[in-house]
Amino acid sequence: MPPPADIVKVAIEWPGAFPRLMEIDQKKPLSAIIKEVCEGWSLGSPENYALQNADSTNFYITEKNRNEIKNGSILRLTTSPAQTAQQLHERIQSSSMDAKLEALKDLANSSRDITFAQEFINLDGISLLTQMVESGTERYQKLQKIMKPCFGDLLSFTLTAFVELMDHGIVSWDTFSVAFIKKIASYVNKTAMDTAVLQRSLAILESMVLNSQDLYQKVAQEITIGQLIPHLQGTDQDIQTYTIAVINALFLKAPEEKRQEMAHILAQKQLRTIILTNVIRSARPINDEMAHQLYVLQVLTFNLLEDRMMTKMDPQDQAQRDIIFELRRIAFDVECEPNNSGSIEKRKSMYTRDYKKLGFINHVNPAVDFTQIPPGMLALDNMLYLAKHHQDAYIRIVLENSSREDKHECPFGRSSIELTKMLCEILKVGELPSENCRDFHPMFFTHDRAFEEFFCICIQLLNKTWKEMRATSEDFNKVMQVVREQIMRALSAKPNSLDQFKSRLQNLSYTEILKIRQSERMNQEDFQSRPILELREKIQPEIMELIKQQRLNRLCEGTCFRKISCRRRQDKFWYCRLSPNHKVLHYGDLEEHPQGEVPHDSLQDKLPVADIKAVLTGKDCPHMKEKGALKQNKEVLELAFSILYESDEYLNFIAPDKHEYCVWTDGLNALLGKEMTSEFTKSDLDTLLSMEMKLRLLDLENIQIPEAPPPIPKEPSNYDFVYDCN
């Protein structure tokens, strides 16, 4: 029979005695249990004793946490929190340096327990520790030369105990004097300071800044960025972490008007470069806390953009309008015309035409486009940065799109505004840092204008994706969705530099995104269940037959191939097509590239399909083995294939593109009864199979498909229920 739920079996220790096994009734008051334990060891005054966990925490057992005691726990009988606090309060004031050091060490360990902390704070223990830091350290510093290790430990344990006690949130941070702040700041400002003391001092300053606006002002007066920078250039990652934490705290609590000023100071002190060199690119792996602090710094840095992001453009502000004029000047290489040149209508017409080419929504007054917040003026800032720092890319994008048909142009102005808004959403500009997030990106620490450079890369990506999708103005939102996915996937790889990010995007073309989406859809849990896999296997032969027929139909239509000799490229063509009955290949030379299909009658040569022995590709082709520059061309090598027939006779091909290469090699293999193995066959199979599966499963949406088929019911005892229609 199991023991009652309220009974817990534990072992209880007492120094100098054998441990006792006991059953604790959780319904009894804790004082009654302690009294019972004391009586077992003949100890009087049970009110002076308490139980604590005998593990590394040494936390006291109280009425609040007693339910956490499990069967098999080991507890220890010890002096009560009040008694221990009183003893330590007296011991840390000892005149003996060794006794004081030992007492402070015990205090630092005990202060982690909130029960003890409450008792020690009730004895005004926090004030005692601050007085020791403010005044007592002068006396200790005199002993530093002869007792240097002891001094470091003494101060370290004092500050550790202080930090642990304050972490419980019992005492307000606003109660501390300027003298105490100055003393803590002095430990940070010193170049040679005990590591443990420096670490605790930085932790105290961070807490002061975060927990009190008044203390922020006082700490900001005592600590400068220049004094914190040297701590980042060391090798201790904990010190570096606490240093960045203090910088983040000062940044976070700084008034709005001072943040830009502080950012300017950080840039002057080359904080970004120092962090990149000594932290991000150091040989040591970055721990979780450091990753969090770097993430916080990244967020706070990008939040400096919030002001511009939420600032609407004033259409009447000439200085702001001049930026748009500058964009027009750089794009079209025009000088600002004097006011008296030409009629007003002519100038307006010219401006409207150019603003349309620049892709603004409002062609008459593009300033109106920047009244939407977000992204406000930040979008215009990004456009100007691109135009000035990446002028070739800017001009190419504008002129490329202005030369396209209206419906196919990628509007630069509108794209820049929407892209800036999207990048602000991705980087969460304007949002406070998350407490547990560690999602920092090393590449943003490689450039002083990281956001602007990020935009410049992404706007070129958007233009490239627009072309790949052959998009029109109606497809704008679809393009933006694809671009967002490309950016998010590239960022997920955590590139170390902006160049790596750019390379990653190059590999994430629109075609690749479609493949990834398709692959992810097919890998979903629903598509991995046994019935679905069986259905997939059943319909796959049908799909393969469909692809085979499509390939053979394309061969029947025929393709024009360019003739290439082993010595030089000649502008001569030849045509090859399969007969409708799939029995003969017709081919012959042409004088020029045909406009449509070439009839069989005009093709002089024939090759019966029955005579074909094999299809060779790439390096195995005889025309790729000949000496000359041709075999060095990798692109041509990938498009080459040959038909082997009769006694070592070959018909050599070089396809005009990869698609035609796949169509012909697949079609020829199908004619020979071999497997079609090209990339396009795999892609078509995945696409068609996915579509067919979705169509067949359409009526089963939100219906759980069983893993095994339902059992066949037993035959009925009679068939009287059958109705004879005759």
Side-chain angles (χ1 to χ4, degrees):
M1 183 176 176
D6 294 323
I7 303 297
V8 183
K9 295 183 177 181
V10 299
I12 300 178
E13 299 176 343
W14 173 250
F18 287 108
R20 289 185 58 192
L21 296 176
M22 256 188 93
E23 289 186 354
I24 293 179
D25 186 352
Q26 292 285 37
K27 292 181 179 178
K28 280 187 178 181
L30 192 58
S31 56
I33 295 170
I34 293 172
K35 183 178 180 182
E36 184 182 339
V37 173
C38 289
E39 287 174 353
W41 275 308
S42 303
L43 298 172
S45 304
E47 66 276 6
N48 292 332
Y49 294 93
L51 291 173
Q52 66 180 183
N53 290 300
D55 55 16
S56 58
T57 64
N58 293 329
F59 285 173
Y60 283 98
I61 304 298
T62 64
E63 292 290 353
K64 288 183 179 179
N65 64 19
R66 62 183 295 178
N67 290 327
E68 296 174 13
I69 302 173
K70 307 295 181 187
N71 277 313
S73 298
I74 302 175
L75 307 180
R76 181 188 299 118
L77 185 66
T78 185
T79 53
S80 67
Q83 285 277 93
T84 306
Q86 183 64 48
Q87 291 168 6
L88 284 173
H89 192 273
E90 294 170 0
R91 286 171 58 201
I92 61 175
Q93 299 180 70
S94 170
S95 56
S96 166
M97 192 64 68
D98 290 338
K100 184 188 287 285
L101 182 63
E102 195 63 33
L104 286 168
K105 183 178 179 180
D106 291 343
L107 178 62
N109 288 328
S110 300
S111 296
R112 291 176 297 169
D113 184 1
I114 190 170
T115 309
F116 167 83
Q118 185 68 67
E119 296 293 342
F120 188 79
I121 289 169
N122 289 343
L123 296 172
D124 214 11
I126 295 279
S127 297
L128 178 59
L129 291 177
T130 55
Q131 287 169 18
M132 290 170 65
V133 171
E134 288 174 24
S135 58
T137 48
E138 279 84 356
R139 185 161 55 89
Y140 303 148
Q141 285 170 2
K142 293 176 184 177
L143 301 171
Q144 188 174 1
K145 291 182 181 179
I146 55 172
M147 300 179 66
K148 190 170 182 180
C150 181
F151 166 74
D153 290 343
L154 198 72
L155 192 52
S156 170
F157 289 135
T158 305
L159 295 178
T160 301
F162 177 84
V163 170
E164 296 289 356
L165 290 168
M166 291 302 298
D167 278 351
H168 296 299
I170 300 169
V171 178
S172 170
W173 283 91
D174 287 310
T175 57
F176 299 108
S177 65
V178 175
F180 179 71
I181 297 169
K182 285 180 179 289
K183 186 61 66 176
I184 297 297
S186 70
Y187 300 144
V188 173
N189 293 337
K190 285 181 181 175
T191 52
M193 177 53 70
D194 181 82
T195 303
V197 172
L198 178 59
Q199 188 174 315
R200 302 297 183 275
S201 299
L202 288 166
I204 291 169
L205 291 177
E206 181 201 6
S207 296
M208 284 180 172
V209 172
L210 291 176
N211 288 288
S212 169
Q213 189 63 34
D214 184 45
L215 287 184
Y216 156 75
Q217 303 283 355
K218 295 173 182 175
V219 171
Q221 291 172 3
E222 300 297 328
I223 294 288
T224 64
I225 300 299
Q227 291 164 332
L228 292 171
I229 293 293
H231 300 313
L232 291 171
Q233 296 170 317
T235 56
D236 190 314
Q237 192 171 110
D238 288 336
I239 296 296
Q240 291 174 327
T241 304
Y242 279 106
T243 302
I244 296 176
V246 172
I247 293 171
N248 286 339
L250 291 169
F251 218 141
L252 191 62
K253 287 294 181 177
E256 294 276 339
E257 63 276 7
K258 285 194 175 181
R259 286 183 188 172
Q260 291 290 349
E261 180 186 335
M262 187 175 175
H264 182 65
I265 294 170
L266 293 177
Q268 281 186 329
K269 298 294 182 182
Q270 296 185 319
L271 175 71
R272 178 192 60 76
T273 308
I274 290 168
I275 289 175
L276 183 66
T277 306
N278 296 282
V279 179
I280 296 173
R281 290 182 177 170
S282 71
R284 300 180 309 278
I286 293 175
N287 60 37
D288 289 349
E289 184 56 32
M290 174 61 86
H292 172 68
Q293 294 302 336
L294 290 173
Y295 151 77
V296 172
L297 182 60
Q298 173 185 292
V299 171
L300 294 175
T301 303
F302 284 137
N303 279 357
L304 294 170
L305 303 168
E306 184 182 9
D307 182 51
R308 294 294 282 174
M309 181 182 78
M310 300 307 291
T311 300
K312 291 183 180 181
M313 184 172 186
D314 182 1
Q316 307 305 318
D317 189 318
Q318 188 59 43
Q320 294 179 0
R321 289 163 62 96
D322 286 345
I323 299 176
I324 298 177
F325 293 150
E326 181 70 3
L327 290 174
R328 173 177 173 266
R329 185 192 67 77
I330 295 171
F332 305 113
D333 195 24
V334 294
E335 296 298 330
C336 293
E337 297 84 357
N339 291 334
N340 58 359
S341 65
S343 66
I344 295 174
E345 289 76 15
K346 185 179 178 182
R347 287 207 312 274
K348 281 185 177 179
S349 174
M350 189 167 53
Y351 284 155
T352 300
R353 181 199 66 203
D354 289 348
Y355 291 149
K356 183 180 179 182
K357 289 181 180 179
L358 280 169
F360 290 112
I361 298 171
N362 191 315
H363 305 151
V364 178
N365 185 8
V368 176
D369 290 11
F370 299 97
T371 55
Q372 172 194 349
I373 55 168
M377 288 295 291
L378 184 59
L380 188 59
D381 295 342
N382 284 339
M383 293 166 71
L384 184 63
Y385 182 89
L386 174 70
K388 287 191 171 182
H389 294 84
H390 299 273
Q391 197 170 108
D392 291 344
Y394 168 67
I395 293 172
R396 186 182 71 251
I397 291 171
V398 173
L399 297 185
E400 209 174 71
N401 287 294
S402 61
S403 63
R404 292 180 191 160
E405 296 177 36
D406 282 353
K407 67 174 184 177
H408 283 291
E409 66 177 0
C410 176
F412 171 70
R414 183 185 175 191
S415 299
S416 298
I417 291 168
E418 291 302 318
L419 179 63
T420 301
K421 183 179 178 182
M422 180 200 292
L423 297 183
C424 288
E425 290 171 358
I426 290 172
L427 298 176
K428 299 180 179 177
V429 175
E431 294 184 23
L432 288 174
S434 169
E435 290 185 9
N436 302 313
C437 187
R438 299 187 289 273
D439 187 26
F440 84 97
H441 295 277
M443 72 176 194
F444 292 132
F445 290 85
T446 62
H447 203 285
D448 288 328
R449 304 289 294 275
F451 185 81
E452 289 86 346
E453 289 292 325
F454 186 41
F455 168 83
C456 292
I457 293 170
C458 294
I459 192 67
Q460 293 177 70
L461 167 72
L462 193 154
N463 192 56
K464 172 173 168 281
T465 303
W466 186 282
K467 288 189 288 185
E468 290 173 349
M469 293 177 68
R470 298 177 183 175
T472 62
S473 54
E474 288 81 11
D475 301 319
F476 188 86
N477 291 333
K478 290 180 183 176
V479 175
M480 294 304 293
Q481 288 172 7
V482 173
V483 169
R484 187 186 189 99
E485 185 172 348
Q486 289 170 314
I487 294 169
M488 294 300 289
R489 288 185 183 278
L491 285 176
S492 66
K494 294 292 179 72
N496 290 319
S497 66
L498 290 164
D499 286 337
Q500 282 188 19
F501 175 68
K502 196 184 298 183
S503 300
R504 178 72 178 154
L505 288 176
Q506 289 294 330
N507 297 328
L508 286 169
S509 63
Y510 175 58
T511 307
E512 186 62 26
I513 289 293
L514 290 180
K515 287 180 182 177
I516 292 170
R517 286 178 175 178
Q518 181 69 19
S519 175
E520 288 178 350
R521 279 197 294 268
M522 295 305 294
N523 288 330
Q524 287 175 357
E525 190 176 345
D526 288 346
F527 283 88
Q528 297 303 311
S529 63
R530 184 180 158 192
I532 301 297
L533 292 174
E534 288 177 358
L535 176 61
R536 186 184 173 90
E537 289 174 9
K538 184 178 178 181
I539 64 177
Q540 186 164 326
E542 300 172 25
I543 302 297
M544 286 302 294
E545 184 61 26
L546 186 66
I547 295 171
K548 176 183 172 182
Q549 290 304 319
Q550 188 272 339
R551 299 294 192 261
L552 293 176
N553 289 340
R554 280 288 292 108
L555 264 61
C556 290
E557 293 172 9
T559 302
C560 179
F561 298 91
R562 190 182 292 273
K563 271 197 169 183
I564 299 180
S565 71
C566 61
R567 284 173 288 189
R568 64 189 178 92
R569 186 164 184 150
Q570 299 173 340
D571 290 322
K572 289 188 178 181
F573 304 92
W574 67 287
Y575 200 89
C576 186
R577 64 181 296 180
L578 181 66
S579 63
N581 62 5
H582 300 171
K583 289 187 177 181
V584 180
L585 281 172
H586 298 265
Y587 62 96
D589 294 339
L590 300 174
E591 288 300 321
E592 58 183 10
H593 199 289
Q595 297 301 313
E597 289 184 17
V598 177
H600 297 91
D601 301 337
S602 61
L603 300 173
Q604 309 87 358
D605 301 308
K606 296 179 181 180
L607 172 61
V609 172
D611 291 346
I612 298 175
K613 294 181 179 180
V615 177
L616 307 176
T617 59
K619 292 179 180 179
D620 297 328
C621 299
H623 59 312
M624 292 293 105
K625 293 180 179 178
E626 297 171 359
K627 292 182 180 179
L630 184 61
K631 71 172 186 177
Q632 305 298 330
N633 191 330
K634 185 181 177 183
E635 184 181 350
V636 173
L637 195 65
E638 291 175 348
L639 299 176
F641 62 97
S642 300
I643 295 175
L644 171 63
Y645 63 98
E646 290 183 354
S647 56
D648 296 327
E649 292 288 328
Y650 295 91
L651 186 61
N652 298 321
F653 299 74
I654 292 180
D657 53 49
K658 190 69 175 177
H659 181 264
E660 289 296 326
Y661 169 84
C662 292
V663 165
W664 273 85
T665 52
D666 283 342
L668 292 170
N669 281 324
L671 286 172
L672 298 176
K674 295 183 178 179
E675 187 179 356
M676 298 182 293
T677 57
S678 75
E679 296 172 9
F680 277 70
T681 294
K682 293 175 184 175
S683 175
D684 289 348
L685 178 63
D686 287 343
T687 303
L688 294 171
L689 203 52
S690 174
M691 290 171 63
E692 183 66 20
M693 294 281 286
K694 287 179 180 177
L695 287 171
R696 295 200 182 195
L697 297 173
L698 205 57
D699 293 332
L700 296 179
E701 192 172 348
N702 299 323
I703 295 176
Q704 185 67 35
I705 302 172
E707 284 293 318
I712 299 173
K714 293 179 181 179
E715 288 190 20
S717 56
N718 60 70
Y719 291 87
D720 295 341
F721 58 88
V722 176
Y723 178 73
D724 190 356
C725 295
N726 298 325

